[in-house]
Amino acid sequence: MEINTKETFAKKILTAANGYLDVGFTHSLNPYSGCAFSCRYCYVREMPMQRFKGIPWGEWLDIKTNAAENYRNEMIKIRKNNKPVNIFMSSATDPYQPMERKAGITRAILEEMLENPPDFLQIQTRSPLITRDIDLLLKLKDKCNTLVSMTIETDREDVKQIFAPYAPGIKLRLKALKEVHDAGISTQASISPVLPFTPDFPKVLDSRVDHIWIDTLSIGDGLMGKRSARLGMPAVFEEHGLSDWYQKNLHVRVENFFKKYFPSEMIRVSKSEAFLK
């Protein structure tokens, strides 16, 4: 898939947390606008930044070339007011999408964080590329609470191909998650959104994660399922004979299932428990 890429200068890089993130996070940080992974269920497709873009989601990417500089300047101002800084990176893109290999925007931000660390950083990605930055993450975790949250919405590659054909494979993500975990960095499996999985899913995550995060299309799209419905997700599930997995109480079933294998304190559910206290 061809992607329309351009370099941009962002006015700001830290955005005050609101809506879904307003449960403990103070800011979101998006090194890019747009996302090459182009997941079919992504709620950003229904947000103004995409609806008025004129280019299909997944076919455009803006590289915020001054992101690291902005971060440094904004953090200095925030710290003058002695305010806490709990960052979610990223809420509307993937900080480790393919272009990051060349552009290095996320790595540059992490380097700035070593000089001006937040109080808490959650990196949300579905890309094995994050292993490239283990060296920086090891240094950063000594300066602030750091959590690497890898999206693993299913353990079934066939299901992943239906909903996120351009995203990295599940086995590659699991391998990367274990590498990060074994390096001594706190890790989380973000089952977000929950897609149909096998009974062996918990076994696959064992020894790779410190936390498990459960989210669904009904409770995690920012509008209690309305965005997901507008994206046609109920029809996609039905088309592939998966309608039993598109239920409003799915998070309850999944939470109870995972609690059979993991301690309750390891498992959190959207939205009120989104922030790791």
Side-chain angles (χ1 to χ4, degrees):
M1 181 171 59
E2 187 175 347
I3 299 177
N4 185 325
T5 304
K6 69 176 182 179
E7 296 184 348
T8 63
F9 283 86
K11 293 181 179 179
K12 291 186 64 178
I13 197 64
L14 292 175
T15 302
N18 54 41
Y20 188 88
L21 295 178
D22 192 16
V23 289
F25 294 101
T26 61
H27 299 84
S28 62
L29 194 165
N30 292 283
Y32 301 90
S33 290
C35 186
F37 292 149
S38 190
C39 301
R40 295 178 68 179
Y41 52 71
C42 183
Y43 63 85
V44 184
R45 290 175 177 269
E46 278 294 310
M47 296 178 69
M49 67 176 290
Q50 172 57 36
R51 296 188 69 183
F52 301 106
K53 185 69 175 179
I55 304 175
W57 182 248
E59 296 184 18
W60 64 276
L61 183 70
D62 293 349
I63 304 169
K64 301 177 182 179
T65 56
N66 63 333
E69 179 184 356
N70 277 359
Y71 173 81
R72 178 176 65 251
N73 295 335
E74 291 169 40
M75 277 294 291
I76 291 173
K77 290 181 180 178
I78 293 172
R79 288 307 194 193
K80 286 182 179 178
N81 296 320
N82 294 317
K83 292 183 177 180
V85 181
N86 301 319
I87 296 176
F88 188 97
M89 184 172 76
S90 302
S91 59
T93 190
D94 195 302
Y96 285 100
Q97 60 187 286
M99 180 54 68
E100 171 61 19
R101 291 185 182 275
K102 178 180 179 181
I105 305 299
T106 298
R107 184 170 178 86
I109 292 170
L110 292 178
E111 289 172 339
E112 283 295 340
M113 286 184 176
L114 291 177
E115 300 300 321
N116 296 283
D119 297 293
F120 174 74
L121 171 66
Q122 176 170 324
I123 300 176
Q124 188 66 51
T125 184
R126 65 189 66 232
S127 173
L129 180 57
I130 193 170
T131 58
R132 178 201 66 183
D133 291 343
I134 286 178
D135 60 331
L136 295 181
L137 295 172
L138 284 172
K139 296 176 183 178
L140 189 59
K141 79 181 186 72
D142 292 333
K143 295 175 177 286
C144 71
N145 292 321
T146 305
L147 176 67
V148 170
S149 181
M150 180 71 74
T151 299
I152 305 177
E153 59 271 68
T154 177
D155 63 340
R156 291 177 53 181
E157 187 66 28
D158 61 326
V159 171
K160 196 276 302 186
Q161 285 297 112
I162 294 171
F163 294 92
Y166 300 107
I170 300 299
K171 289 183 179 180
L172 290 174
R173 296 187 222 174
L174 288 167
K175 182 176 182 294
L177 189 60
K178 183 165 179 56
E179 186 174 342
V180 174
H181 182 266
D182 288 352
I185 299 162
S186 184
T187 57
Q188 173 174 277
S190 177
I191 309 175
S192 175
V194 172
L195 296 181
F197 56 78
T198 75
D200 290 331
F201 198 8
K203 298 177 184 178
V204 171
L205 298 179
D206 190 31
S207 79
R208 286 177 165 85
V209 299
D210 302 294
H211 310 278
I212 293 172
W213 168 244
I214 297 169
D215 198 6
T216 71
L217 293 169
S218 296
I219 63 174
D221 68 355
L223 285 179
M224 296 304 294
K226 292 180 181 179
R227 284 187 177 130
S228 299
R230 290 201 294 260
L231 288 172
M233 287 301 101
V236 175
F237 276 73
E238 183 176 1
E239 175 187 351
H240 294 278
L242 304 172
S243 293
D244 287 346
W245 287 82
Y246 199 89
Q247 299 179 9
K248 289 186 176 181
N249 70 338
L250 179 62
H251 59 287
V252 177
R253 292 170 50 198
V254 175
E255 179 184 13
N256 290 336
F257 176 74
F258 272 86
K259 282 184 176 179
K260 296 177 182 178
Y261 300 88
F262 296 101
S264 297
E265 59 268 21
M266 282 184 64
I267 299 171
R268 297 177 296 120
V269 180
S270 176
K271 155 189 173 181
S272 60
E273 300 172 349
F275 181 70
L276 182 62
K277 297 179 176 62

